[in-house]
Amino acid sequence: MAEKRINYKPDMPNLEADSKILRFVGFLIVIVCVASLSFVGGRLFEQKSEYSYVNNFEDFSREDFESSLFWDVWNILKSEYVDEDVVDSKEMFYGSIKGMVSSLDDPATVFLDSEETENFKKQTQGKHFEGIGAELGYKDGVIVIISPLEGSPAKAAGVLPGAVIVSVDGEDVKRSDNVFDVVKKIRGEKGTEVVLELIQGVDMKSETITIVRDEITIPSMSFEDTDDNGIYKIKVGRFTDASLPIWNSVWDGVVDEFLATGSKKLILDLRGNPGSFFDASLYAAEDFLPQNTIIAKQEDRKGDTQEFKVSREGRLLDIDVVVLVNEGSASSSEILAGALQKNDRAEVVGSETYGKGTAQRLIDLYDGSSLHITIVKWLLPDGTWLNPEDVIIPDIEVELTAEDFEKGSDPQLEKAIEISQNLNKVDNLKWIRMLYC
């Protein structure tokens, strides 16, 4: 490939032509006030934050870092790039921010433009959107389907948790693509088709699946009778709703439904649950564990650890519990499953979980964009950090294969029912009395 060498004499940017972009740049070099909606892996609180970025390069010497280099490259691209029509100042600016954030090599720390931010908030609030109904994420550096949502076109088409996305409508997914780029390609109008090439299943076979997009609403949870000797199931689809108090209220309603049956046997299904509100997982755990029991810990950048303990009287303390998990169980769902497992409160059945043990703060920026930044690590009650190398391993491992899916069978649920039938609630009550002593 021929390369033209030039001696470039830097000029200051064209202030008139790029005045709008420079107003964007302003928030990087002056004090900015933002209203931040902060998630500590879903631990939700609102605050006003001030961030100062004025010459904040104390870890560089003048020789190491010259801010004029940015404008040198900017002006070269604007004046020299062969296809002038594709040189878009706003795209260049947002691209530079995304590049800066991606330099941390943390797939959970991302910058989203205003459109991506709006889509993200619709999804986390359970609002309608049009697509295939699947949660995307990263595993081993590639983009995967963490889980198809219950009742979604993706699940109906045979998409399995952990499926690696090879291509979308014939366009390869590159390692440089982030998850939001792929989401944009997959989403589309209701009734239209999207073709996904996936590698999935226990044997990791390559499959090409055509999915008809539909309107998607994301339910937070459901309650049902398994029709097996008074064993009931609470399916928690995600630890998020329009707000944390609303999620807590929905959970309380489902617990009310269960208690009204008089049953003492419950299956808590966390399969395919990608997490979200950290406080929601704490709230649910409090119904199963005695007061002052450690639910989880968080470790900050300084290595300081905070413990989260049960602070209220639980309503399910004398209930036999079996927890279902799989590759799609992530973050807050792993916190809840891990809390019950590590405290010997429940049998965990299924397959190994996803392994997301970091929490992000969501900072809303003034132009509608947002920054999601990792601020803490999640630890289980015994101090284990949840990560892809140290996931929740079920007490009893049961795979759900593609063949099981096609037949409509669920060996994981069947095993959970079998275990629940054999659990002795008297032993469970002894455990509770012992912890109260």
Side-chain angles (χ1 to χ4, degrees), residues 230-254:
I231 300 172
Y232 291 82
K233 183 180 76 167
I234 295 177
K235 167 68 176 176
V236 184
R238 56 180 47 239
F239 289 94
T240 186
D241 215 306
S243 68
L244 176 62
I246 289 176
W247 192 95
N248 290 350
S249 177
V250 175
W251 170 261
D252 287 339
V254 169

PDB file of all heavy atoms in Angstrom, residues 230-254:
ATOM      1  N   GLY A 230     -47.293 -29.147  45.290  1.00  0.00           N
ATOM      2  CA  GLY A 230     -47.225 -27.885  46.022  1.00  0.00           C
ATOM      3  C   GLY A 230     -45.910 -27.153  45.927  1.00  0.00           C
ATOM      4  O   GLY A 230     -45.585 -26.331  46.799  1.00  0.00           O
ATOM      5  N   ILE A 231     -45.129 -27.435  44.888  1.00  0.00           N
ATOM      6  CA  ILE A 231     -43.871 -26.714  44.673  1.00  0.00           C
ATOM      7  C   ILE A 231     -44.140 -25.560  43.711  1.00  0.00           C
ATOM      8  O   ILE A 231     -44.688 -25.763  42.619  1.00  0.00           O
ATOM      9  CB  ILE A 231     -42.779 -27.637  44.103  1.00  0.00           C
ATOM     10  CG1 ILE A 231     -42.517 -28.798  45.074  1.00  0.00           C
ATOM     11  CG2 ILE A 231     -41.498 -26.863  43.836  1.00  0.00           C
ATOM     12  CD1 ILE A 231     -41.595 -29.859  44.514  1.00  0.00           C
ATOM     13  N   TYR A 232     -43.754 -24.357  44.117  1.00  0.00           N
ATOM     14  CA  TYR A 232     -44.002 -23.174  43.299  1.00  0.00           C
ATOM     15  C   TYR A 232     -42.678 -22.573  42.818  1.00  0.00           C
ATOM     16  O   TYR A 232     -41.612 -22.838  43.399  1.00  0.00           O
ATOM     17  CB  TYR A 232     -44.799 -22.137  44.091  1.00  0.00           C
ATOM     18  CG  TYR A 232     -46.224 -22.584  44.370  1.00  0.00           C
ATOM     19  CD1 TYR A 232     -46.505 -23.432  45.438  1.00  0.00           C
ATOM     20  CD2 TYR A 232     -47.267 -22.184  43.548  1.00  0.00           C
ATOM     21  CE1 TYR A 232     -47.803 -23.867  45.688  1.00  0.00           C
ATOM     22  CE2 TYR A 232     -48.569 -22.606  43.788  1.00  0.00           C
ATOM     23  CZ  TYR A 232     -48.825 -23.447  44.856  1.00  0.00           C
ATOM     24  OH  TYR A 232     -50.115 -23.869  45.085  1.00  0.00           O
ATOM     25  N   LYS A 233     -42.782 -21.763  41.775  1.00  0.00           N
ATOM     26  CA  LYS A 233     -41.578 -21.170  41.181  1.00  0.00           C
ATOM     27  C   LYS A 233     -41.747 -19.665  41.024  1.00  0.00           C
ATOM     28  O   LYS A 233     -42.767 -19.199  40.516  1.00  0.00           O
ATOM     29  CB  LYS A 233     -41.282 -21.799  39.810  1.00  0.00           C
ATOM     30  CG  LYS A 233     -39.999 -21.269  39.161  1.00  0.00           C
ATOM     31  CD  LYS A 233     -39.721 -21.909  37.817  1.00  0.00           C
ATOM     32  CE  LYS A 233     -40.604 -21.361  36.725  1.00  0.00           C
ATOM     33  NZ  LYS A 233     -40.163 -21.738  35.371  1.00  0.00           N
ATOM     34  N   ILE A 234     -40.747 -18.930  41.493  1.00  0.00           N
ATOM     35  CA  ILE A 234     -40.647 -17.501  41.194  1.00  0.00           C
ATOM     36  C   ILE A 234     -39.556 -17.338  40.146  1.00  0.00           C
ATOM     37  O   ILE A 234     -38.398 -17.691  40.380  1.00  0.00           O
ATOM     38  CB  ILE A 234     -40.308 -16.671  42.446  1.00  0.00           C
ATOM     39  CG1 ILE A 234     -41.446 -16.740  43.460  1.00  0.00           C
ATOM     40  CG2 ILE A 234     -40.043 -15.217  42.057  1.00  0.00           C
ATOM     41  CD1 ILE A 234     -41.159 -15.993  44.759  1.00  0.00           C
ATOM     42  N   LYS A 235     -39.943 -16.843  38.996  1.00  0.00           N
ATOM     43  CA  LYS A 235     -38.987 -16.583  37.917  1.00  0.00           C
ATOM     44  C   LYS A 235     -38.643 -15.092  37.934  1.00  0.00           C
ATOM     45  O   LYS A 235     -39.509 -14.243  37.703  1.00  0.00           O
ATOM     46  CB  LYS A 235     -39.598 -16.966  36.560  1.00  0.00           C
ATOM     47  CG  LYS A 235     -38.838 -16.466  35.342  1.00  0.00           C
ATOM     48  CD  LYS A 235     -37.478 -17.131  35.181  1.00  0.00           C
ATOM     49  CE  LYS A 235     -36.774 -16.686  33.915  1.00  0.00           C
ATOM     50  NZ  LYS A 235     -35.412 -17.247  33.790  1.00  0.00           N
ATOM     51  N   VAL A 236     -37.397 -14.773  38.267  1.00  0.00           N
ATOM     52  CA  VAL A 236     -36.950 -13.378  38.262  1.00  0.00           C
ATOM     53  C   VAL A 236     -36.199 -13.136  36.959  1.00  0.00           C
ATOM     54  O   VAL A 236     -35.082 -13.640  36.769  1.00  0.00           O
ATOM     55  CB  VAL A 236     -36.063 -13.064  39.482  1.00  0.00           C
ATOM     56  CG1 VAL A 236     -35.688 -11.582  39.495  1.00  0.00           C
ATOM     57  CG2 VAL A 236     -36.789 -13.427  40.775  1.00  0.00           C
ATOM     58  N   GLY A 237     -36.810 -12.380  36.064  1.00  0.00           N
ATOM     59  CA  GLY A 237     -36.210 -12.143  34.755  1.00  0.00           C
ATOM     60  C   GLY A 237     -35.090 -11.122  34.777  1.00  0.00           C
ATOM     61  O   GLY A 237     -34.148 -11.202  34.004  1.00  0.00           O
ATOM     62  N   ARG A 238     -35.212 -10.147  35.679  1.00  0.00           N
ATOM     63  CA  ARG A 238     -34.183  -9.120  35.814  1.00  0.00           C
ATOM     64  C   ARG A 238     -34.422  -8.330  37.087  1.00  0.00           C
ATOM     65  O   ARG A 238     -35.545  -8.223  37.558  1.00  0.00           O
ATOM     66  CB  ARG A 238     -34.138  -8.186  34.616  1.00  0.00           C
ATOM     67  CG  ARG A 238     -35.434  -7.492  34.293  1.00  0.00           C
ATOM     68  CD  ARG A 238     -35.322  -6.570  33.086  1.00  0.00           C
ATOM     69  NE  ARG A 238     -34.664  -7.214  31.991  1.00  0.00           N
ATOM     70  CZ  ARG A 238     -33.540  -6.750  31.421  1.00  0.00           C
ATOM     71  NH1 ARG A 238     -32.983  -5.661  31.870  1.00  0.00           N
ATOM     72  NH2 ARG A 238     -32.982  -7.393  30.433  1.00  0.00           N
ATOM     73  N   PHE A 239     -33.349  -7.791  37.613  1.00  0.00           N
ATOM     74  CA  PHE A 239     -33.444  -6.998  38.829  1.00  0.00           C
ATOM     75  C   PHE A 239     -33.577  -5.523  38.487  1.00  0.00           C
ATOM     76  O   PHE A 239     -32.827  -4.671  38.975  1.00  0.00           O
ATOM     77  CB  PHE A 239     -32.219  -7.232  39.710  1.00  0.00           C
ATOM     78  CG  PHE A 239     -32.211  -8.594  40.344  1.00  0.00           C
ATOM     79  CD1 PHE A 239     -31.539  -9.647  39.742  1.00  0.00           C
ATOM     80  CD2 PHE A 239     -32.892  -8.828  41.522  1.00  0.00           C
ATOM     81  CE1 PHE A 239     -31.533 -10.910  40.325  1.00  0.00           C
ATOM     82  CE2 PHE A 239     -32.891 -10.090  42.113  1.00  0.00           C
ATOM     83  CZ  PHE A 239     -32.217 -11.132  41.512  1.00  0.00           C
ATOM     84  N   THR A 240     -34.557  -5.218  37.661  1.00  0.00           N
ATOM     85  CA  THR A 240     -34.765  -3.829  37.284  1.00  0.00           C
ATOM     86  C   THR A 240     -36.212  -3.603  36.917  1.00  0.00           C
ATOM     87  O   THR A 240     -36.926  -4.526  36.522  1.00  0.00           O
ATOM     88  CB  THR A 240     -33.863  -3.423  36.096  1.00  0.00           C
ATOM     89  OG1 THR A 240     -34.001  -2.034  35.855  1.00  0.00           O
ATOM     90  CG2 THR A 240     -34.244  -4.161  34.838  1.00  0.00           C
ATOM     91  N   ASP A 241     -36.646  -2.361  37.070  1.00  0.00           N
ATOM     92  CA  ASP A 241     -37.970  -1.916  36.672  1.00  0.00           C
ATOM     93  C   ASP A 241     -37.852  -0.416  36.470  1.00  0.00           C
ATOM     94  O   ASP A 241     -36.742   0.109  36.378  1.00  0.00           O
ATOM     95  CB  ASP A 241     -39.011  -2.278  37.742  1.00  0.00           C
ATOM     96  CG  ASP A 241     -40.360  -2.646  37.126  1.00  0.00           C
ATOM     97  OD1 ASP A 241     -40.874  -1.823  36.356  1.00  0.00           O
ATOM     98  OD2 ASP A 241     -40.859  -3.750  37.394  1.00  0.00           O
ATOM     99  N   ALA A 242     -38.986   0.290  36.422  1.00  0.00           N
ATOM    100  CA  ALA A 242     -38.912   1.739  36.239  1.00  0.00           C
ATOM    101  C   ALA A 242     -38.135   2.397  37.370  1.00  0.00           C
ATOM    102  O   ALA A 242     -37.530   3.454  37.182  1.00  0.00           O
ATOM    103  CB  ALA A 242     -40.320   2.320  36.147  1.00  0.00           C
ATOM    104  N   SER A 243     -38.147   1.793  38.552  1.00  0.00           N
ATOM    105  CA  SER A 243     -37.360   2.283  39.688  1.00  0.00           C
ATOM    106  C   SER A 243     -37.158   1.131  40.660  1.00  0.00           C
ATOM    107  O   SER A 243     -37.863   0.111  40.600  1.00  0.00           O
ATOM    108  CB  SER A 243     -38.073   3.445  40.391  1.00  0.00           C
ATOM    109  OG  SER A 243     -39.242   2.989  41.042  1.00  0.00           O
ATOM    110  N   LEU A 244     -36.216   1.309  41.585  1.00  0.00           N
ATOM    111  CA  LEU A 244     -35.976   0.286  42.594  1.00  0.00           C
ATOM    112  C   LEU A 244     -37.207   0.067  43.485  1.00  0.00           C
ATOM    113  O   LEU A 244     -37.580  -1.084  43.738  1.00  0.00           O
ATOM    114  CB  LEU A 244     -34.758   0.655  43.434  1.00  0.00           C
ATOM    115  CG  LEU A 244     -34.443  -0.288  44.598  1.00  0.00           C
ATOM    116  CD1 LEU A 244     -34.125  -1.692  44.108  1.00  0.00           C
ATOM    117  CD2 LEU A 244     -33.286   0.265  45.427  1.00  0.00           C
ATOM    118  N   PRO A 245     -37.878   1.129  43.985  1.00  0.00           N
ATOM    119  CA  PRO A 245     -39.083   0.899  44.806  1.00  0.00           C
ATOM    120  C   PRO A 245     -40.157   0.107  44.068  1.00  0.00           C
ATOM    121  O   PRO A 245     -40.857  -0.715  44.675  1.00  0.00           O
ATOM    122  CB  PRO A 245     -39.565   2.319  45.142  1.00  0.00           C
ATOM    123  CG  PRO A 245     -38.330   3.152  45.092  1.00  0.00           C
ATOM    124  CD  PRO A 245     -37.512   2.561  43.972  1.00  0.00           C
ATOM    125  N   ILE A 246     -40.296   0.324  42.766  1.00  0.00           N
ATOM    126  CA  ILE A 246     -41.293  -0.433  42.001  1.00  0.00           C
ATOM    127  C   ILE A 246     -40.894  -1.902  41.942  1.00  0.00           C
ATOM    128  O   ILE A 246     -41.721  -2.799  42.105  1.00  0.00           O
ATOM    129  CB  ILE A 246     -41.465   0.161  40.590  1.00  0.00           C
ATOM    130  CG1 ILE A 246     -42.172   1.512  40.677  1.00  0.00           C
ATOM    131  CG2 ILE A 246     -42.250  -0.789  39.683  1.00  0.00           C
ATOM    132  CD1 ILE A 246     -42.309   2.225  39.349  1.00  0.00           C
ATOM    133  N   TRP A 247     -39.597  -2.180  41.708  1.00  0.00           N
ATOM    134  CA  TRP A 247     -39.142  -3.578  41.685  1.00  0.00           C
ATOM    135  C   TRP A 247     -39.411  -4.231  43.035  1.00  0.00           C
ATOM    136  O   TRP A 247     -39.928  -5.352  43.104  1.00  0.00           O
ATOM    137  CB  TRP A 247     -37.649  -3.664  41.354  1.00  0.00           C
ATOM    138  CG  TRP A 247     -37.215  -5.069  41.052  1.00  0.00           C
ATOM    139  CD1 TRP A 247     -37.111  -5.650  39.818  1.00  0.00           C
ATOM    140  CD2 TRP A 247     -36.883  -6.095  42.013  1.00  0.00           C
ATOM    141  NE1 TRP A 247     -36.723  -6.971  39.956  1.00  0.00           N
ATOM    142  CE2 TRP A 247     -36.585  -7.275  41.274  1.00  0.00           C
ATOM    143  CE3 TRP A 247     -36.819  -6.138  43.390  1.00  0.00           C
ATOM    144  CZ2 TRP A 247     -36.214  -8.471  41.890  1.00  0.00           C
ATOM    145  CZ3 TRP A 247     -36.456  -7.332  44.019  1.00  0.00           C
ATOM    146  CH2 TRP A 247     -36.154  -8.480  43.274  1.00  0.00           C
ATOM    147  N   ASN A 248     -39.068  -3.544  44.111  1.00  0.00           N
ATOM    148  CA  ASN A 248     -39.300  -4.094  45.442  1.00  0.00           C
ATOM    149  C   ASN A 248     -40.774  -4.393  45.674  1.00  0.00           C
ATOM    150  O   ASN A 248     -41.130  -5.418  46.270  1.00  0.00           O
ATOM    151  CB  ASN A 248     -38.802  -3.120  46.515  1.00  0.00           C
ATOM    152  CG  ASN A 248     -37.289  -3.009  46.552  1.00  0.00           C
ATOM    153  OD1 ASN A 248     -36.579  -3.790  45.912  1.00  0.00           O
ATOM    154  ND2 ASN A 248     -36.784  -2.043  47.288  1.00  0.00           N
ATOM    155  N   SER A 249     -41.635  -3.500  45.193  1.00  0.00           N
ATOM    156  CA  SER A 249     -43.079  -3.690  45.356  1.00  0.00           C
ATOM    157  C   SER A 249     -43.566  -4.909  44.578  1.00  0.00           C
ATOM    158  O   SER A 249     -44.396  -5.684  45.071  1.00  0.00           O
ATOM    159  CB  SER A 249     -43.816  -2.433  44.895  1.00  0.00           C
ATOM    160  OG  SER A 249     -45.206  -2.603  44.976  1.00  0.00           O
ATOM    161  N   VAL A 250     -43.045  -5.092  43.370  1.00  0.00           N
ATOM    162  CA  VAL A 250     -43.419  -6.262  42.573  1.00  0.00           C
ATOM    163  C   VAL A 250     -42.958  -7.535  43.273  1.00  0.00           C
ATOM    164  O   VAL A 250     -43.689  -8.530  43.348  1.00  0.00           O
ATOM    165  CB  VAL A 250     -42.833  -6.171  41.146  1.00  0.00           C
ATOM    166  CG1 VAL A 250     -43.108  -7.446  40.362  1.00  0.00           C
ATOM    167  CG2 VAL A 250     -43.425  -4.982  40.396  1.00  0.00           C
ATOM    168  N   TRP A 251     -41.731  -7.518  43.799  1.00  0.00           N
ATOM    169  CA  TRP A 251     -41.218  -8.676  44.543  1.00  0.00           C
ATOM    170  C   TRP A 251     -42.117  -8.991  45.741  1.00  0.00           C
ATOM    171  O   TRP A 251     -42.478 -10.149  45.965  1.00  0.00           O
ATOM    172  CB  TRP A 251     -39.788  -8.417  45.011  1.00  0.00           C
ATOM    173  CG  TRP A 251     -39.266  -9.450  45.970  1.00  0.00           C
ATOM    174  CD1 TRP A 251     -39.203  -9.342  47.335  1.00  0.00           C
ATOM    175  CD2 TRP A 251     -38.763 -10.758  45.657  1.00  0.00           C
ATOM    176  NE1 TRP A 251     -38.691 -10.488  47.890  1.00  0.00           N
ATOM    177  CE2 TRP A 251     -38.410 -11.371  46.885  1.00  0.00           C
ATOM    178  CE3 TRP A 251     -38.572 -11.458  44.477  1.00  0.00           C
ATOM    179  CZ2 TRP A 251     -37.877 -12.655  46.954  1.00  0.00           C
ATOM    180  CZ3 TRP A 251     -38.038 -12.743  44.547  1.00  0.00           C
ATOM    181  CH2 TRP A 251     -37.700 -13.326  45.767  1.00  0.00           C
ATOM    182  N   ASP A 252     -42.484  -7.963  46.500  1.00  0.00           N
ATOM    183  CA  ASP A 252     -43.359  -8.172  47.661  1.00  0.00           C
ATOM    184  C   ASP A 252     -44.679  -8.809  47.240  1.00  0.00           C
ATOM    185  O   ASP A 252     -45.207  -9.690  47.932  1.00  0.00           O
ATOM    186  CB  ASP A 252     -43.632  -6.842  48.367  1.00  0.00           C
ATOM    187  CG  ASP A 252     -42.422  -6.335  49.147  1.00  0.00           C
ATOM    188  OD1 ASP A 252     -41.535  -7.151  49.472  1.00  0.00           O
ATOM    189  OD2 ASP A 252     -42.373  -5.125  49.428  1.00  0.00           O
ATOM    190  N   GLY A 253     -45.214  -8.371  46.102  1.00  0.00           N
ATOM    191  CA  GLY A 253     -46.471  -8.932  45.610  1.00  0.00           C
ATOM    192  C   GLY A 253     -46.346 -10.402  45.255  1.00  0.00           C
ATOM    193  O   GLY A 253     -47.248 -11.206  45.545  1.00  0.00           O
ATOM    194  N   VAL A 254     -45.226 -10.775  44.640  1.00  0.00           N
ATOM    195  CA  VAL A 254     -44.995 -12.178  44.279  1.00  0.00           C
ATOM    196  C   VAL A 254     -44.818 -13.028  45.537  1.00  0.00           C
ATOM    197  O   VAL A 254     -45.334 -14.153  45.623  1.00  0.00           O
ATOM    198  CB  VAL A 254     -43.772 -12.289  43.347  1.00  0.00           C
ATOM    199  CG1 VAL A 254     -43.361 -13.743  43.174  1.00  0.00           C
ATOM    200  CG2 VAL A 254     -44.075 -11.676  41.982  1.00  0.00           C
TER     201      VAL A 254
END
